[in-house]
Amino acid sequence: MEIYFALYRSKAKCHLNADIVGSIVRTSIRNNKRDGLTGFLHTDQDHFLQYLEGPQDPLMHRLSVIQRDLKHYNFMILADGTIDERLFPDWDMGQIKFLQPQHQNSAIDTGWMRPNPDVDAVPLLSAFAAHALQGEHVTITAIS
């Protein structure tokens, strides 16, 4: 079975606090488990960065629901396509609250928050996957 993925960002309409983000994560865990989706949600400076992976139909449906959600605006797909295997197989919805760059040239920066970002998703996803695996070295190659 092909695994589809999408990485998007959006801007929250209100300030994100722990209660709001916790509620979103709990709802996502329930929905994603039901739909066979995995991924992560990262919030930073009232922006959302979310990566989802799984079967095409549930993924496309979830993205359409997310896009219509009134909690945010400026929804933008940063990357999408297919992958051979899941990057986050054990995360119905992982939450990455804060990620301290490990070195000066870390892929985790705030460039994805710019109004018209030009984001290379491969190093960004590699950094998040490494965090998900608690620092293990992870290599993700570009999907053509």
Side-chain angles (χ1 to χ4, degrees):
M1 168 186 14
E2 274 192 312
I3 305 294
Y4 289 80
F5 78 91
L7 176 70
Y8 79 85
R9 74 91 197 264
S10 63
K11 175 86 168 95
K13 286 190 175 177
C14 65
H15 176 69
L16 295 174
N17 62 38
D19 291 337
I20 292 170
V21 175
S23 174
I24 292 168
V25 170
R26 285 188 298 278
T27 300
S28 297
I29 288 170
R30 184 183 64 245
N31 291 338
N32 291 350
K33 188 174 285 196
R34 178 195 65 219
D35 296 338
L37 301 175
T38 55
F40 70 79
L41 175 67
H42 174 66
T43 57
D44 192 348
Q45 300 177 30
D46 297 332
H47 285 80
F48 295 102
L49 179 71
Q50 186 168 23
Y51 171 84
L52 291 167
E53 59 191 14
Q56 183 178 21
D57 290 343
L59 177 63
M60 294 301 118
H61 174 73
R62 180 63 37 218
L63 288 173
S64 70
V65 169
I66 290 169
Q67 188 172 11
R68 292 188 313 266
D69 191 315
L70 299 177
K71 289 189 246 359
H72 63 141
Y73 63 101
N74 287 348
F75 179 92
M76 177 182 285
I77 298 284
L78 300 175
D80 62 352
T82 60
I83 51 178
D84 293 331
E85 59 184 324
R86 291 177 189 259
L87 302 178
F88 300 88
D90 300 323
W91 283 31
D92 292 320
M93 181 44 56
Q95 180 187 3
I96 300 175
K97 296 178 185 175
F98 178 74
L99 191 58
Q100 181 65 39
Q102 298 298 316
H103 51 81
Q104 189 173 12
N105 295 324
S106 175
I108 303 296
D109 64 27
T110 57
W112 57 270
M113 291 191 282
R114 290 189 307 265
N116 295 305
D118 182 16
V119 175
D120 182 357
V122 172
L124 184 63
L125 291 172
S126 295
F128 277 108
H131 179 73
L133 296 171
Q134 300 174 350
E136 293 179 23
H137 180 71
V138 174
T139 301
I140 300 172
T141 56
I143 301 162
S144 49

